[in-house]
């Protein structure tokens, strides 16, 4: 689940393959653009680590981060 680590809402996701992980990231990219709120993330093979914080608010976790996290979680259903 999501946890706040060093002022960032953080979660790691694991998939069955690189293609699945990349597909997940592609969907998030479109959502992030629509919300004008973009993740800091790392992809290693089938793993995606996402860190959310609001730069405009001084790199702290805000409502926007929780909204994006919720939208990301919806993709898994
Ligand atoms: C100018 C632009 O609207 C802002 O820089 C947006 C873009 N995406 C963003 N993404 C994140 N994570 N935090 C922000 O504060 C932010 N601000």
């Amino acid at each position: 689940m999501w946890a706040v680590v060093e002022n960032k809402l953080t979660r790691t996701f694991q998939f069955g393959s690189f293609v699945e992980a990349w597909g997940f990231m592609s969907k998030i990219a479109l959502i992030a653009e629509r919300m004008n709120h973009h993740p800091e993330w790392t992809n290693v093979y089938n793993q995606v680590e996402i860190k959310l914080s609001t730069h405009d608010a001084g790199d702290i976790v805000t409502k926007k981060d929780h909204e994006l996290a919720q939208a990301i979680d919806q993709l898994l259903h």
Side-chain angles (χ1 to χ4, degrees):
M1 286 310 294
W2 293 95
V4 178
V5 181
E6 292 174 353
N7 278 327
K8 293 173 187 181
L9 196 55
T10 303
R11 186 173 171 185
T12 300
F13 299 86
Q14 195 157 310
F15 297 91
S17 66
F18 171 72
V19 170
E20 280 180 57
W22 192 263
F24 177 66
M25 293 173 78
S26 300
K27 288 179 200 157
I28 293 172
L30 298 179
I31 292 168
E33 194 57 19
R34 196 172 66 230
M35 294 175 80
N36 191 32
H37 201 63
H38 303 87
E40 173 187 341
W41 54 11
T42 310
N43 162 237
V44 179
Y45 178 46
N46 63 342
Q47 198 162 297
V48 180
E49 184 183 29
I50 301 179
K51 296 178 182 179
L52 304 176
S53 69
T54 303
H55 315 309
D56 297 344
D59 285 322
I60 57 164
V61 176
T62 68
K63 188 166 167 267
K64 284 187 173 184
D65 301 298
H66 287 285
E67 285 169 358
L68 180 54
Q70 202 173 2
I72 289 169
D73 284 347
Q74 295 280 350
L75 294 174
L76 300 171
H77 296 148

